[in-house]
């Protein structure tokens, strides 16, 4: 009897130990796809003077799982309304030379949007919750009133840098803006536009907040290509912004440019225009996700979408283009 | 006639009150002369009693000819004194330490009514020393976390979260002066060296009116004064740090000192990982230290002066050097340094046997500085050019304080406290300077320095209205001026205890609090990059309102308490979604948003106080939520500090005079996290600047990590000789090597049908050994 009690006590202690030690290691935490309910994702930015086009996909379960197929949605019913009135239905864009095929999830409507008007889109697809979104094509009030080349210098690796100054004016208030700078190459009188386009390299610039001179930090609405900001940075309708460290890479300075050529300049193009708050929020939070993903001390943020019951963006952008020509010494 | 009648009544009352004999004086340790805080003095014949104040002073007015005083204090032999009350007299009482049984708590039936007030926890240094230590370092804050209603923010953290509050909502006092960052090593250890500490009291609710400026708790730590009888000290050697403490009389019975220091040698752990090669060199170093010093002088029974100071520092450095060629090399170096400094002068003066006053002048400072420098050296034609790009970031908060308070003991029924203070705050929350020699660029910015004045006034009355009913009623008034704006707050406080039967009491309390400082943190770990910022013109103060109700059953051996609370908080600030903490160029006020929150809970404490086996079981069931319009789409979300269940089981067993063992077992709901639940990858036509991939996150803090549980064990051997005493402690942290999740690591390229997170743990099983010699 004593032996039985002893064995049972040892067994209980051992069993308790097994229970305890078996919980020491933590298994990975797994969320299964079968619990995932995808929604439609619509992406559309339209401009003045151009037709409205959008892509339609569905959200994915694993945002970085490259072996998960991105599903484009075909056969959707999509209607456009302008100022509350029905304009027409989108159609899937036919593929040139593909006969009966269309581009995956690519829709278009032959209607030119007008500045100052509101637009609503309604999309329905079997098997998914219907989505809709409203926006407007804002009237562009912003003007670039001054463009300056503030500085040109080289770093230790002989990479060429430019600091440009841009002065914006907008007498309207409660506005949001999008700006990006493209480098168009070297403009030579004897070189045609096709050559110029071949010389357009990877367009990069940094409105790097670390180096802004005026301590007013526009919200960097894109990781490295464009910025979005609001007029809270405007003083008496004017905003001075320095686009610093515009970096040129892989340009052969000697190619096609010599002292005899009187029209030898670098061409930068500044695109700037008014956007809606929906697009501002979308681009801003999208850029934050990109920047913060690698930062363990940042707060996670969801991309703000104006698509009801879905994801993506439906917004208008009224832009103007301003060239800057820079002499090459 | 009415005026005469009024004056007569007053004179009569005054005469009556002041004609009753008053016993007053100090209660001290007989061997060291240290004042004993919270010692109870009870007259057995009348049942009236009092407790000593923060300076060991008591005053007891009795309306009789004689008294039989029972004087008791934890860890000391109770003393009984028969006193003839022929008139008011000064009676200083010395208690002898209980050197035999090492019972942690000794409480008599008569002193049960004098037990700590509602929502209050008192710990002794001996209790703390008997508990297993984290990595060999006995820590006051870690011990406090074992109490109900108090939790740690993350694994190994010394930060405390009291009833759902943030780490900034604790008024941590060292000799009456607030400490802003009471932790070392990224929050793993507190700054308190147990060798220098005399008393610890934690108040979670029912705050007396004398405290203000924080919403969730008061952690009142008092330093030792040093023996004014004989010299002594101790040396402790542990796995991560060593401590030295010295105390003794400068002038026997009048002037004493205590100095205590601690220094880590964690850098020695880094050294094996330093790598040297022909073309690279990596170096790391880290160290922290604490230094406490105190001198006190007794001018007379009426007058005493204390001067105390604390200085602590953490210093981290890292350097990576790459040699590309004989002509070009680069060095990437960073340093991080942060620390606290406190200095205070206090003067006690007994104005009258019934009136004890204290005047103190103090300064406290917390500073943090980080510097990152990228240096290149290029040699061309025997000329070496050095270029340095560097960024320096610093934040600092400094207070200068004058405070006066008085304790008035008109009779055995009332203890009235009143006081006033003025604090000048200097905030420098995040200033940076960047220089780039290559670009000939230098700029700086961040939030400008902000100065503020804070005034506070309080009055409170602790009343034994009836032998069954005790009340503490008071009001705390504060005024805060900053950037041309003034905030005022009138904060009523009330707490009470009703004795249902002997040893069974019903307690209730209500308190409003207002806080003018905010700590911006988003990790829950306690990094020095956590930012103390002020209330400003645009950022409101935090406020809270807390109700609590409890039942306590106490005997000489056991205490069982059940307490429920509800706390509403407003004016909370958090980093807004997407805020980048490390984006130092953005001032903090551009990265925050405000909201409110609540916390509700039920706390159970079962404590065995005497015998060979002592310890406690603490359980908390609670829920803490926040609501911010600009976070989580405006929907309520769980606070990072929300722990649905939290259980601590603590025990100490005294085998014999020399051997003892301790164990701590903690089980709690896991931390909260925000997880990925999907993504988007559609293309935006005609707009090349859009990111193709987007992440869909869950609601903020919606996911609960796996349950946290951990067992710590220790065995202690102590031998006290005539001249030297030796203590050896062997212990193990996380005895069964539980891999408690510290954070979730997302597996980026997981299979298409699942999202996989790997919980990463921080602290594995850690054995340790400490050796202490006392002389």
């Amino acid at each position: 009897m004593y032996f039985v009690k002893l064995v049972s006590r040892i067994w209980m202690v051992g069993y308790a130990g097994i229970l305890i030690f078996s919980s020491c290691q933590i298994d990975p935490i797994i969320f299964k796809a079968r619990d995932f309910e995808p929604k439609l994702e619509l992406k559309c930015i339209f401009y003045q003077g151009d037709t409205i086009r959008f892509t339609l996909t569905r959200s994915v379960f694993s945002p970085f799982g490259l072996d998960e197929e991105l599903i484009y949605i075909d056969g959707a019913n999509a209607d456009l309304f302008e100022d509350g009135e029905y304009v027409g239905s989108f159609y899937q864009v036919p593929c040139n030379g593909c006969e009966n095929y269309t581009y995956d999830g690519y829709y278009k409507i032959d209607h030119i949007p007008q500045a100052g008007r509101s637009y609503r889109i309604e999309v329905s697809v079997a098997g998914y919750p219907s989505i809709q979104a409203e926006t407007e094509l804002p009237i562009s009030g912003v003007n670039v009133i001054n463009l300056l080349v503030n500085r040109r210098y080289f770093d230790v690796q002989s990479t060429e840098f430019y600091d440009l100054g841009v002065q914006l004016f907008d007498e309207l208030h409660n506005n949001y803006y999008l700006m990006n700078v493209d480098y168009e190459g070297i403009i030579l009188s004897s070189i045609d536009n096709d050559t110029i386009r071949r010389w357009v390299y990877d367009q990069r610039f940094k409105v790097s907040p670390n180096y802004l001179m005026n301590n007013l930090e526009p919200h960097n609405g894109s990781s490295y290509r464009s910025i979005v900001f609001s007029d809270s940075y405007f003083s008496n309708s004017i905003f001075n912004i320095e686009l610093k460290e515009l970096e040129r890479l892989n340009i052969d300075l000697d190619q096609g440019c010599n002292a005899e050529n009187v029209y030898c300049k670098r061409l930068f193009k500044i695109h700037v225009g008014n956007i809606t708050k929906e697009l501002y929020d979308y681009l801003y939070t999208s850029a934050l996700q990109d920047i913060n993903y690698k930062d363990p001390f940042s707060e996670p943020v969801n991309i703000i979408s104006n698509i009801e019951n879905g994801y993506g963006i439906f917004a208008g952008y009224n832009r103007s283009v301003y060239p800057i020509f820079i002499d090459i010494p | 006639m009415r005026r005469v009648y009024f004056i007569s009544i007053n004179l009569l009352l005054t005469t009556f009150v002041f004609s009753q004999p008053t016993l007053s004086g100090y209660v001290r340790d007989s061997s060291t002369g240290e004042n004993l805080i919270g010692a109870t003095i009870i007259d057995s014949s009348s049942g009236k009693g009092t407790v000593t104040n923060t300076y060991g002073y008591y005053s007891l007015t009795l309306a009789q000819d004689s008294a039989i005083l029972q004087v008791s204090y934890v860890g000391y032999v109770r003393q009984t004194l028969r006193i003839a009350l022929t008139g008011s007299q000064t009676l200083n009482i010395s208690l002898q330490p209980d050197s035999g049984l090492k019972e942690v708590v000794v409480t008599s039936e008569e002193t049960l009514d004098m037990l700590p007030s509602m929502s209050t926890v008192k710990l002794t240094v001996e209790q703390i020393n008997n508990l297993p230590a984290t990595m060999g370092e006995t820590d006051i804050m870690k011990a406090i976390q074992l109490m109900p209603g108090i939790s740690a923010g993350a694994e190994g953290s010394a930060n405390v979260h009291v009833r759902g509050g943030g780490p900034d909502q604790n008024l941590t006092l060292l000799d009456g002066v607030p400490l802003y960052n009471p932790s070392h090593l990224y929050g793993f250890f507190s700054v308190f060296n147990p060798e220098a500490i005399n008393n610890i009291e934690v108040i979670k609710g029912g705050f007396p009116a004398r405290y203000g400026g924080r919403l969730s708790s008061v952690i009142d730590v008092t330093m030792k004064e040093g023996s004014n009888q004989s010299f002594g000290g101790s040396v402790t050697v542990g796995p991560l740090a060593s401590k030295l403490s010295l105390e003794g009389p400068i002038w026997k019975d009048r002037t004493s000192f205590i100095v205590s220091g601690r220094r880590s040698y964690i850098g020695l752990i880094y050294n094996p990982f330093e790598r040297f090669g022909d073309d690279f060199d990596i170096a790391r170093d880290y160290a922290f230290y604490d230094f406490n010093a105190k001198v006190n002088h007794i001018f007379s029974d009426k007058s005493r002066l204390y001067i105390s100071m604390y200085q602590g520092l953490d210093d981290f450095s890292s350097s990576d050097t790459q040699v590309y060629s004989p002509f070009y090399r680069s060095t990437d170096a960073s340093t991080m340094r942060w620390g606290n400094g406190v200095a205070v002068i206090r003067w006690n003066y007994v104005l009258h046997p019934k009136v004890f006053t204290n005047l103190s002048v103090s300064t406290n400072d917390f500073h943090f500085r980080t510097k990152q420098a990228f240096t290149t050296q290029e040699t061309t034609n025997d000329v070496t050019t050095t270029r340095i790009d560097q960024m320096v970031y610093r934040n600092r908060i400094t207070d200068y304080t004058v405070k006066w308070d008085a304790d008035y003991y008109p009779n055995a029924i009332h203890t009235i406290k009143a006081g006033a203070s003025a604090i000048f705050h200097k905030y420098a929350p995040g200033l940076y300077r960047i220089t780039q020699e290559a670009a000939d660029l230098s700029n700086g910015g961040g939030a400008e320095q902000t100065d503020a004045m804070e005034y506070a006034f309080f009055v409170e009355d602790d009343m034994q209205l009836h032998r069954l009913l005790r009340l503490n009623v008071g009001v705390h008034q504060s005024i805060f001026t900053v950037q041309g704006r003034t905030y005022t707050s009138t904060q009523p406080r009330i707490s009470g205890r009703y004795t249902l039967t002997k040893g069974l009491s019903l307690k209730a309390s209500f308190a409003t609090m207002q806080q003018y400082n905010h700590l911006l943190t988003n990790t829950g770990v306690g990094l020095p990059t956590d930012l103390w910022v002020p209330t400003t013109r645009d950022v409101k103060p935090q406020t809270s309102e807390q109700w609590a109700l409890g039942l306590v059953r106490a005997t000489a051996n056991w205490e069982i308490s059940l307490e429920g609370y509800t706390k509403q908080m407003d004016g909370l600030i958090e980093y807004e979604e997407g805020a980048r903490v490390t984006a130092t160029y953005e001032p903090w006020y551009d990265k925050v948003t405000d909201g409110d929150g609540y916390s509700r809970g039920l706390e159970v404490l079962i404590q065995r106080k005497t015998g060979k086996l002592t310890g406690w079981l603490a359980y908390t069931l609670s829920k803490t939520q926040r609501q911010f319009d600009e976070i989580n789409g405006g929907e309520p979300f769980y606070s990072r500090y929300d722990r649905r269940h939290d259980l601590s089981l603590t025990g100490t067993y005294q085998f014999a005079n020399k051997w003892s063992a301790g164990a701590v077992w903690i089980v709690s709901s896991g931390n909260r996290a925000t997880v990925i639940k999907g993504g988007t990858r559609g293309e935006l036509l005609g707009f090349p600047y859009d990111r193709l991939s987007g992440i869909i996150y869950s609601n903020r803090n919606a996911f609960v990590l796996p349950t946290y549980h951990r067992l710590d064990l220790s065995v202690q051997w102590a031998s006290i000789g005539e001249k030297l005493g030796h203590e050896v402690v062997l212990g193990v942290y996380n005895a069964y090597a539980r891999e408690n999740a510290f954070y979730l690591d997302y597996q980026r390229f997981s299979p298409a049908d699942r999202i996989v997170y790997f919980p990463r743990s921080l602290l594995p099983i850690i054995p340790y050994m400490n050796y202490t010699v006392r002389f």
Side-chain angles (χ1 to χ4, degrees):
Chain A
M1 196 57 190
Y2 170 78
F3 180 74
V4 170
K5 283 185 182 176
L6 178 63
V7 169
S8 64
R9 282 174 187 167
I10 292 174
W11 180 84
M12 279 193 296
V13 169
Y15 183 64
I18 289 169
L19 283 179
I20 290 172
F21 276 91
S22 67
S23 69
C24 292
Q25 311 302 318
I26 302 182
D27 295 326
I29 296 168
I30 299 175
F31 299 101
K32 295 288 180 63
R34 61 173 177 265
D35 301 322
F36 172 67
E37 294 179 2
K39 293 182 180 178
L40 293 173
E41 181 189 9
L42 182 150
K43 284 195 172 179
C44 173
I45 292 182
F46 55 89
Y47 310 89
Q48 77 280 12
D50 196 4
T51 57
I52 302 175
R53 296 162 290 169
F54 69 87
T55 58
L56 191 66
T57 58
R58 71 163 209 183
S59 56
V60 296
F61 176 61
S62 180
F64 303 106
L66 297 181
D67 53 348
E68 179 183 359
E69 184 184 357
L70 178 62
I71 297 176
Y72 290 88
I73 306 297
D74 296 328
N77 296 316
D79 297 324
L80 182 70
F81 298 82
E82 182 180 77
D83 287 341
E85 291 192 8
Y86 175 75
V87 171
S89 295
F90 288 81
Y91 59 89
Q92 260 191 284
V93 177
C95 169
N96 287 333
C98 302
E99 295 183 355
N100 295 325
Y101 293 100
T102 56
Y103 287 116
D104 292 334
Y106 179 17
Y107 298 79
K108 181 181 174 182
I109 188 168
D110 294 327
H111 178 80
I112 307 297
Q114 305 288 320
R117 295 198 171 186
S118 66
Y119 294 89
R120 188 173 85 250
I121 187 170
E122 295 178 359
V123 180
S124 60
V125 179
Y128 297 93
S130 297
I131 59 173
Q132 67 173 16
E134 278 196 57
T135 188
E136 66 171 8
L137 182 60
I139 296 170
S140 183
V142 65
N143 291 297
V144 174
I145 57 176
N146 211 354
L147 294 171
L148 299 171
V149 179
N150 288 339
R151 195 156 65 128
R152 174 177 179 266
Y153 59 92
F154 296 85
D155 70 356
V156 293
Q157 273 91 36
S158 299
T159 304
E160 186 183 7
F161 286 89
Y162 289 92
D163 291 347
L164 303 183
V166 182
Q167 192 173 44
L168 302 177
F169 175 83
D170 189 352
E171 59 186 355
L172 300 178
H173 297 289
N174 297 319
N175 277 332
Y176 301 90
Y177 309 91
L178 171 63
M179 175 188 287
N180 54 272
V181 178
D182 294 340
Y183 178 69
E184 298 289 348
I186 300 174
I187 305 302
L188 304 170
S189 60
S190 60
I191 302 295
D192 59 26
N193 287 336
D194 285 339
T195 303
I196 292 171
R197 289 193 192 95
R198 284 200 299 275
W199 286 351
V200 174
Y201 288 91
D202 183 31
Q203 299 156 10
R204 283 177 38 168
F205 80 90
K206 289 183 287 185
V207 181
S208 178
N210 287 340
Y211 307 110
L212 277 180
M213 296 282 282
N214 58 357
N215 287 337
L216 293 176
E217 165 56 14
H219 291 300
N220 192 337
S222 177
S223 57
Y224 51 83
R225 294 181 183 271
S226 63
I227 58 168
V228 291
F229 49 94
S230 70
D231 62 7
S232 61
Y233 295 98
F234 282 58
S235 173
N236 295 325
S237 304
I238 293 175
F239 179 33
N240 294 304
I241 179 172
E242 288 219 29
L243 308 176
K244 299 183 69 65
E245 307 245 316
L246 299 183
E247 182 181 341
R248 287 303 318 129
L249 298 176
N250 302 323
I251 290 291
D252 184 348
L253 297 174
D254 294 328
Q255 183 177 1
C257 183
N258 54 56
E260 296 175 358
N261 194 321
V262 297
Y263 196 68
C264 184
K265 297 176 188 292
R266 297 202 189 284
L267 171 62
F268 289 87
K269 284 187 177 175
I270 297 183
H271 303 249
V272 65
N274 290 73
I275 58 173
T276 60
K277 187 171 190 312
E278 296 85 32
L279 183 56
Y280 170 84
D281 288 339
Y282 173 84
L283 292 175
Y284 176 45
T285 52
S286 180
L288 279 179
Q289 266 204 2
D290 189 39
I291 295 169
N292 292 348
Y293 180 69
K294 303 172 188 61
D295 184 349
F297 302 122
S298 63
E299 297 288 346
V301 57
N302 275 318
I303 297 173
I304 296 175
S305 166
N306 68 337
I307 308 295
E308 289 181 31
N309 287 327
Y311 303 105
I313 185 67
F314 177 66
Y317 174 28
N318 194 335
R319 64 180 173 182
S320 301
V321 182
Y322 299 87
I324 301 180
F325 294 94
I326 301 172
D327 291 327
I328 300 174
Chain B
M1 187 60 189
R2 280 187 192 170
R3 187 186 298 178
V4 171
Y5 178 78
F6 178 74
I7 293 173
S8 300
I9 294 293
N10 270 293
L11 279 175
L12 190 65
L13 285 172
T14 308
T15 305
F16 176 73
V17 166
F18 283 94
S19 67
Q20 294 177 337
T22 299
L23 290 172
S24 62
Y26 292 89
V27 179
R28 299 176 180 141
D29 180 308
S30 62
S31 60
T32 64
E34 289 264 0
N35 289 331
L36 301 179
I37 303 166
T40 57
I41 304 104
I42 295 181
D43 172 34
S44 301
S45 50
S46 64
K48 292 185 168 56
T50 188
V51 293
T52 56
N53 68 7
T54 312
Y55 303 96
Y57 182 83
Y58 77 94
S59 175
L60 183 61
T61 302
L62 298 169
Q64 58 220 48
D65 299 329
S66 64
I68 304 173
L69 297 183
Q70 304 282 348
V71 186
S72 60
Y73 189 67
V74 169
Y76 289 78
V77 179
R78 189 179 0 159
Q79 199 174 120
T80 303
L81 302 168
R82 294 179 183 276
I83 309 293
L85 298 174
T86 54
S88 296
Q89 55 186 287
T90 300
L91 177 65
N92 294 322
I93 303 167
S94 294
L95 294 184
Q96 190 177 346
D98 184 354
S99 57
L101 297 176
K102 288 193 70 171
E103 286 186 347
V104 178
V105 177
V106 177
T107 311
S108 70
E109 295 282 343
E110 291 83 1
T111 60
L112 293 177
D113 287 339
M114 310 303 290
L115 281 177
S117 313
M118 175 127 209
S119 307
T120 300
V121 169
K122 292 195 79 161
L123 287 170
T124 65
V125 176
E126 191 170 45
Q127 274 179 301
I128 294 168
N129 284 333
N130 285 339
L131 297 174
T134 303
M135 292 188 269
E137 285 298 308
T138 308
D139 198 282
I140 289 169
M141 302 303 254
K142 299 276 176 58
I144 290 172
Q145 291 167 2
L146 299 173
M147 286 293 164
I150 304 174
S151 61
E155 166 90 76
S157 170
N159 279 347
V160 296
H161 302 272
V162 182
R163 291 185 171 175
D168 61 326
Q169 295 178 354
N170 307 311
L171 181 63
T172 306
L173 300 171
L174 179 63
D175 273 358
V177 182
L179 278 176
Y180 283 102
N181 189 344
S183 64
H184 286 302
L185 188 54
Y186 309 106
F188 282 112
F189 303 109
S190 74
V191 300
F192 300 112
N193 182 351
E195 299 299 324
I197 303 303
N198 180 16
N199 188 67
I200 306 133
E201 185 176 66
V202 181
I203 306 172
K204 304 177 289 182
F207 304 101
R210 60 187 178 274
Y211 295 113
R214 300 288 189 276
L215 299 192
S216 288
S217 79
V218 177
I219 302 172
D220 196 349
V221 180
T222 310
M223 281 177 60
K224 286 181 182 173
E225 295 161 13
S227 171
N228 62 12
Q229 299 297 309
S230 59
F231 286 100
S234 65
V235 176
T236 301
V237 178
L240 291 179
S242 289
K243 297 189 273 273
L244 169 67
S245 179
L246 296 170
E247 59 178 309
I250 298 174
W251 181 359
K252 193 171 179 186
D253 294 327
R254 284 222 175 257
T255 312
S256 64
F257 77 94
I258 180 169
V259 293
S260 180
R262 173 172 62 169
R263 204 228 189 251
S264 74
Y265 24 75
I266 295 173
L268 293 178
I269 298 174
Y270 277 103
N271 287 339
F273 298 101
E274 290 179 0
R275 294 176 292 172
F276 304 92
D278 290 339
D279 56 358
F280 63 90
D281 181 4
I282 298 174
R284 308 271 185 270
D285 196 13
Y286 172 78
F288 72 79
Y289 80 83
D290 295 301
F291 179 72
N292 296 81
K294 192 167 181 177
V295 172
N296 77 90
H297 177 72
I298 303 173
F299 293 101
S300 67
D301 274 344
K302 288 189 173 184
S303 177
R304 294 187 77 153
L305 183 73
Y306 303 83
I307 302 173
S308 55
M309 64 87 65
Y310 163 79
Q311 181 72 45
L313 192 71
D314 285 70
D315 200 339
F316 171 80
S317 65
S318 160
S319 169
D320 293 357
T321 299
Q322 296 279 342
V323 180
Y324 295 96
S325 73
F327 309 105
Y328 187 78
R329 65 193 296 161
S330 69
T331 302
D332 196 352
S334 64
T335 58
M336 237 190 321
R337 177 176 290 183
W338 66 96
N340 294 280
V342 170
V344 57
I345 300 174
R346 288 179 298 173
W347 180 50
N348 298 161
Y349 188 72
V350 181
L351 205 60
H352 180 276
K354 298 186 185 205
V355 181
F356 176 94
T357 65
N358 172 63
L359 176 68
S360 67
V361 178
S362 65
T363 177
N364 60 314
D365 172 272
F366 167 72
H367 58 274
F368 167 79
R369 193 192 82 141
T370 181
K371 181 175 167 183
Q372 292 170 301
F374 183 75
T375 306
T376 58
Q377 283 183 311
E378 189 175 4
T379 303
T380 307
N381 298 328
D382 296 326
V383 176
T384 300
T385 305
T386 302
R387 290 193 176 88
I388 302 175
D389 293 348
Q390 72 176 23
M391 188 194 77
V392 178
Y393 172 80
R394 64 183 82 226
N395 74 69
R396 189 166 197 157
I397 177 169
T398 308
D399 291 350
Y400 302 95
T401 306
V402 174
K403 189 162 65 169
W404 176 88
D405 52 85
D407 297 350
Y408 173 44
Y409 308 86
N411 50 49
I413 297 173
H414 296 271
T415 300
I416 300 171
K417 296 179 190 283
S421 65
I423 309 173
F424 175 57
H425 297 286
K426 288 178 66 171
Y427 302 90
L431 296 171
Y432 73 93
R433 175 145 294 277
I434 296 168
T435 55
Q436 281 185 300
E437 289 190 1
D440 191 25
L441 178 71
S442 173
N443 73 338
E448 64 275 8
Q449 179 174 308
T450 305
D451 296 340
M453 279 300 305
E454 182 178 350
Y455 305 93
F457 311 90
F458 75 90
V459 61
E460 71 176 77
D461 187 1
D462 194 86
M463 303 173 274
Q464 186 74 45
L465 290 178
H466 184 268
R467 65 180 182 85
L468 300 178
L469 177 64
R470 189 181 195 97
L471 274 184
N472 183 300
V473 180
V475 65
H476 184 99
Q477 176 71 39
S478 67
I479 303 168
F480 189 82
T481 60
V482 62
Q483 296 176 338
R485 182 162 180 179
T486 299
Y487 297 93
T488 61
S489 170
T490 304
Q491 301 158 35
R493 315 273 178 84
I494 181 167
S495 67
R497 186 181 69 238
Y498 183 77
T499 306
L500 298 170
T501 63
K502 193 160 186 65
L504 179 65
S505 301
L506 181 70
K507 296 183 178 180
S509 71
F510 169 76
T512 64
M513 306 288 280
Q514 182 141 311
Q515 177 171 335
Y516 301 105
N517 295 322
H518 310 261
L519 180 68
L520 288 176
T521 176
N522 71 339
T523 62
V525 174
L527 295 179
T529 48
D530 293 345
L531 207 56
W532 278 101
V533 298
T535 289
T536 67
R537 209 174 17 231
D538 304 310
V539 177
K540 298 179 303 183
Q542 304 182 51
T543 61
S544 75
E545 196 174 282
Q546 185 180 159
W547 299 84
L549 182 67
L551 205 59
V552 177
R553 173 80 174 103
T555 67
N557 300 318
W558 289 89
E559 179 178 331
I560 301 170
S561 83
L562 178 69
E563 190 169 320
Y565 69 89
T566 176
K567 180 162 72 175
Q568 177 67 34
M569 294 169 279
D570 296 296
L572 306 176
I573 62 172
E574 289 226 12
Y575 282 115
E576 58 191 10
E577 286 187 342
R580 297 171 59 199
V581 176
T582 52
T584 54
Y585 45 83
E586 293 177 330
W588 64 270
Y589 42 78
D590 285 345
K591 296 191 273 192
V592 301
T593 182
D594 66 318
D596 52 43
Y598 75 85
S599 179
R600 297 184 188 119
L602 188 68
E603 299 167 4
V604 176
L605 176 67
I606 302 172
Q607 186 175 17
R608 183 185 163 92
K609 300 180 290 185
T610 59
K612 287 188 177 297
L613 176 66
T614 57
W616 66 84
L617 181 145
Y619 171 71
T620 307
L621 172 68
S622 67
K623 182 178 178 183
T624 304
Q625 284 201 320
R626 301 279 190 264
Q627 191 276 323
F628 287 68
D629 289 343
E630 295 180 15
I631 295 177
N632 205 47
E635 295 297 316
F637 58 94
Y638 287 106
S639 163
R640 181 180 301 114
Y641 317 119
D642 178 69
R643 300 275 184 282
R644 189 71 63 250
H645 305 280
D646 193 351
L647 174 80
S648 302
L649 184 59
T650 307
T652 304
Y653 190 84
Q654 189 73 40
F655 288 100
N657 276 348
K658 293 187 179 180
W659 288 93
S660 64
V664 171
W665 189 50
I666 299 169
V667 182
S668 73
S669 304
N671 289 350
R672 287 193 165 270
T674 305
V675 297
I676 294 172
K677 67 172 195 178
T680 56
R681 288 186 8 219
E683 182 184 353
L684 189 56
L685 297 172
F687 191 77
Y689 314 109
D690 182 45
R691 293 173 60 249
L692 291 181
S693 295
I695 301 170
I696 301 170
Y697 288 101
S698 66
N699 284 343
R700 179 172 280 212
N701 299 329
F703 182 74
V704 181
L705 269 61
T707 301
Y708 178 99
H709 55 91
R710 186 189 92 227
L711 175 67
D712 303 333
L713 301 169
S714 69
V715 171
Q716 182 175 351
W717 175 85
S719 170
I720 302 173
E722 272 193 29
K723 291 187 177 178
L724 289 180
H726 303 270
E727 287 174 20
V728 177
V729 179
L730 290 171
V732 59
Y733 175 90
N734 196 10
Y736 50 77
R738 163 79 173 169
E739 289 185 350
N740 289 300
F742 183 65
Y743 71 97
L744 291 182
D745 190 5
Y746 172 67
Q747 186 184 41
R748 187 179 169 108
F749 299 109
S750 48
D753 65 340
R754 61 196 63 192
I755 294 175
V756 180
Y757 280 96
F758 291 100
R760 301 299 185 196
S761 65
L762 187 66
L763 298 177
I765 179 170
I766 304 175
Y768 64 88
M769 187 182 92
N770 278 349
Y771 170 66
T772 302
V773 58
R774 300 189 187 279
F775 50 89

